[in-house]
Amino acid sequence: MDKIKEVFAKKALPMAAEIKQLIKDNGDFVLGQYTVEQVYHGMHGMIGMVTETSKLDPEEGIRFRGYSIPELRAKLPKAPGGTEPLPEGIFYLMLMGELPTEEDVHNVSNNWARRSNVPKHVFDMLDSLPLSTHPMTQLSAAVLALQTESVFAAAYRKGINKKDYWDPMYEDVMNLIARLPRVAAYIYRRIYKSDIHIEPDPKLDWAANFAHMLGYDEYDFKRLMRLYLTIHADHEGGNVSAHATHLVGSALSDAYYSFSAGINGLAGPLHGLANQEVVRWINDLKEYFGSGAIGKKQIEEYINKTLSGGKVIPGYGHAVLRKTDPRYIAQMDFALKYLPEDENFKIVQMIYEVAPAVLSSLGKVKNPWPNVDAHSGVLLIHYGMVEYDFYTVLFAVSRSLGVMASLLWDRALSMPLERPGSVTTDWVKGRVSK
Ligand code: CMX
């Protein structure tokens, strides 16, 4: 058994027994109540699942196993001479519930490098798609094409005791994460870089190798990738990509089926696709007024124009958060340090000064503050990655860390088939009139 798998087994198997006892002793304990509004409005705020990897506080933002983003930027192991955490570290933390040592992170890097080979048929399948196919569609299809490699599906077919599901799921989770950067980089280079590909460098860490395969070997871009892939990794269990992955996995679909479902959710403009929409919106703003002529007055006018067209301001608002997203702040910190004079960064800063007041004045927006997607694009543009249709793929590569760690816990804790009840409007009316 590999070392990481062994440590996970020592944590997960006793916890499965503990949870069984918790349900036996307290199964009738009422955790919350829900309202007609929640039933109609996307179950917001309902407690309906357990996700061990992270917890989102509306006022404070995300904590990964109890650690906030600033704490993780300080405490997680970094590359030699690096300033940002290695994403391997946040994965280890989410999986084990403990901060990793340098050695733990090194082991994860090596483990993924060993598993990173992508079978040829995945590239052949990608090559058969029109170049105009959106990068997220290509990624989702490639993840499904990788399903041929599922160790879990093969074990299930052979007949496996349900107590052992976590073991082949561990193999799927690690293999999928290891292979994703190669697949994502292939999609990028195929669409935008004349189909000229770059071989992986197994000596590099996961994020640096991804940057290298994308074609960005400058140290600054690698530093950005390490931050980017760390902060997008997880956002508790109820967001669309995490929930979709968990839901599909609850039918004992393997990691590839489950993650492909999660990606499809991330590709929605109200979720991860908002990062490309933000850059599109800023480009449209510049085109409308002329580049160089953008001030707060123009931004306010363009926000109002967008709203009066019945559209949302991308990068603003959140279903749970009620303050500025700490993932936005982390990126703002990065920009202030490394690109304070960047023209697009200055526009993003001005939007931050103008948009919250305009959105608040509508009287219905519960959170007028920026989310993670309001900032990520301008950092990528600064380092030369201007192809914004690709941005959500970067988000997906990062999100694999959280949702795959959670899927492994789901199998280790024997989480059951998810099957909430639904009702009809007549049923609701009947209950309300009583
Ligand atoms: N611009 C304009 N209107 C907005 C808005 C925004 N940024 N955010 C919320 N609203 C509107 C809603 O559309 C809704 O209007 P209606 O009542 O007319 O339907 C009203 O305000 C209330 O919405 P809410 O309760 O504040 O927000 P929700 O929980 O329903 O939705 C979210 C959350 C993120 C979908 C929404 O804020 C939004 O559409 N934001 C823009 C898209 C975006 O940035 N998404 C990325 C989120 C982060 C991520 O997942 O990556």
Side-chain angles (χ1 to χ4, degrees), residues 359-371:
L359 288 171
S360 293
S361 73
L362 298 179
K364 63 175 184 177
V365 180
K366 295 198 189 73
N367 173 27
W369 301 104
N371 59 57

Side-chain angles (χ1 to χ4, degrees), residues 75-77 88-90 92-93 98-105:
K75 287 177 196 271
L76 282 177
E88 287 88 333
I90 201 158
Y92 189 96
L93 173 68
E98 279 172 15
L99 283 175
T101 61
E102 304 259 345
E103 193 192 343
D104 293 329
V105 160

Side-chain angles (χ1 to χ4, degrees), residues 318-331:
H318 201 272
V320 179
L321 276 170
R322 294 296 174 255
K323 288 267 169 71
T324 298
D325 191 334
R327 300 171 299 174
Y328 177 93
I329 303 278
Q331 296 178 94

Side-chain angles (χ1 to χ4, degrees), residues 41 44 232 235 239-240 266 268-275 278 307 311-320 322 325 327 359 362 364-369 371-374 395 399:
H41 275 175
H44 290 201
H232 287 79
H235 221 218
N239 67 78
V240 174
L266 195 68
L270 296 187
H271 190 17
L273 203 81
N275 60 10
V278 165
L307 293 173
K311 293 180 268 184
V312 295
I313 307 303
Y316 278 74
H318 201 272
V320 179
R322 294 296 174 255
D325 191 334
R327 300 171 299 174
L359 288 171
L362 298 179
K364 63 175 184 177
V365 180
K366 295 198 189 73
N367 173 27
W369 301 104
N371 59 57
V372 66
D373 300 312
F395 194 155
R399 188 46 61 93

Side-chain angles (χ1 to χ4, degrees), residues 12 35-36 64 67 70 76 99 116 125 179 201 226 242 271 295-296 301 326 332 336 369 414:
T35 62
V36 170
F64 298 83
Y67 293 98
L76 282 177
L99 283 175
S116 61
M125 185 283 301
R179 289 162 173 163
D201 179 349
R226 291 181 185 128
H271 190 17
K296 289 189 205 169
E301 187 183 330
M332 190 174 88
L336 286 169
W369 301 104
S414 302

Side-chain angles (χ1 to χ4, degrees), residues 377-422:
V378 297
L379 300 179
L380 295 164
I381 293 173
H382 181 81
Y383 295 114
M385 185 181 266
V386 294
E387 302 88 356
Y388 53 75
D389 274 5
F390 186 73
Y391 292 171
T392 314
V393 172
L394 299 175
F395 194 155
V397 170
S398 172
R399 188 46 61 93
S400 72
L401 301 177
V403 301
M404 288 294 100
S406 281
L407 193 67
L408 180 52
W409 272 101
D410 289 350
R411 294 293 74 80
L413 300 180
S414 302
M415 288 288 184
L417 179 81
E418 191 168 292
R419 206 313 186 176
S422 74

